């Protein structure tokens, strides 16, 4: 709850069915005050927000290539307090990262087997061919991801139960060898 009150940006990782979207929804709905929440979902209405000021963007990236990324780029015109792109899969990561770099709180999910791998995979997605900011230089996208996502949570499902497996606080891209710092 403390991290939510601090306005941190979250990257939630896990495998299919592990509870990523449920955790995203819980974080968004526990956001303090009266935020303007903007959600971006691709071909599915999965996120339910209880805040009165909520803008839901539904895109069809299977029909219109790049629709998710375009919606993420245009979200800043809506003056959001919090942006919750439902799932980061590929090149839309660059637009999501641009929202985070602009100083807005972001909560999104990504498929990954660990918290450390999640931030690396996010940076890989942001540097995919066709990315309008980071195409190619993965080190730049990794640096910006580590500077602008504050918390990486890995969730897991075992024996029918979902639980938080890892929690990492990102230390930024400073002078240290690794931008990842375990939360102790």
């Amino acid at each position: 709850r403390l991290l939510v009150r601090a306005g941190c940006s979250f990257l939630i990782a896990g495998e299919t069915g592990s509870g990523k979207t449920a955790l995203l929804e819980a974080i968004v709905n526990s956001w303090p005050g009266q935020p303007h929440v903007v959600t971006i979902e691709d071909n599915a209405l999965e996120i339910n927000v209880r805040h009165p000021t909520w803008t839901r963007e539904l895109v069809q990236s299977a029909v219109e290539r790049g629709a998710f990324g375009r919606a993420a780029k245009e979200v800043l015109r809506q003056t959001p307090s919090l942006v919750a792109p439902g799932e980061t899969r590929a090149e839309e990561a660059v637009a999501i990262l641009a929202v985070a770099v602009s100083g807005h709180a972001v909560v999104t999910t990504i498929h990954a087997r660990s918290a450390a791998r999640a931030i690396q995979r996010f940076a890989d997605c942001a540097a995919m061919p066709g990315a309008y900011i980071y195409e190619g230089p993965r080190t730049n996208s990794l640096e910006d991801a580590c500077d602008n996502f504050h918390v990486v949570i890995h969730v897991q499902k075992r024996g029918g139960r979902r639980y938080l497996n890892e929690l990492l606080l990102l230390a930024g891209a400073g002078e240290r060898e690794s931008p990842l710092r375990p939360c102790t």
Side-chain angles (χ1 to χ4, degrees):
R1 189 131 175 116
L2 179 65
L3 297 170
V4 171
R5 284 192 174 157
C8 291
S9 287
F10 293 81
L11 181 60
I12 303 165
E15 296 181 6
T16 302
S18 60
K20 297 180 301 295
T21 303
L23 180 57
L24 178 145
E25 189 175 292
I27 289 170
V28 168
N29 284 319
S30 65
W31 210 260
Q34 298 292 318
H36 175 201
V37 178
V38 178
T39 57
I40 307 169
E41 297 176 89
D42 189 5
N43 198 35
L45 299 175
E46 297 178 323
I47 303 170
N48 291 301
V49 175
R50 293 189 303 259
H51 291 289
T53 310
W54 170 31
T55 304
R56 175 180 254 164
E57 298 288 340
L58 180 64
V59 299
Q60 304 287 330
S61 64
V63 175
E64 183 185 352
R65 183 178 161 88
F68 194 105
R70 243 184 326 284
K73 279 190 255 183
E74 294 171 4
V75 78
L76 297 178
R77 295 178 187 188
Q78 300 178 38
T79 61
S81 308
L82 173 63
V83 180
E87 185 177 346
T88 303
R89 294 185 204 141
E91 69 273 353
E92 68 274 357
V94 70
I96 294 167
L97 186 52
V99 171
V101 168
S102 73
H104 290 79
V106 173
V107 181
T108 190
T109 69
I110 193 165
H111 288 101
R113 293 180 187 253
S114 72
R117 184 63 192 124
I119 196 71
Q120 293 165 356
R121 183 161 185 272
F122 187 91
D124 289 344
C125 290
M128 291 178 80
Y132 68 96
I133 297 174
Y134 301 103
E135 183 175 5
R138 180 186 177 271
T139 55
N140 295 343
S141 63
L142 181 60
E143 180 178 319
D144 279 354
C146 290
D147 284 345
N148 292 284
F149 280 99
H150 309 104
V151 183
V152 183
I153 301 170
H154 183 262
V155 292
Q156 197 165 18
K157 183 177 181 181
R158 273 208 188 132
R161 298 197 61 154
R162 296 174 176 167
Y163 62 95
L164 298 180
N165 186 47
E166 289 180 273
L167 175 68
L168 291 180
L169 299 180
L170 296 179
E175 301 294 322
R176 291 184 293 272
E177 259 180 55
S178 173
L180 304 177
R181 174 182 73 213
C183 181
T184 56

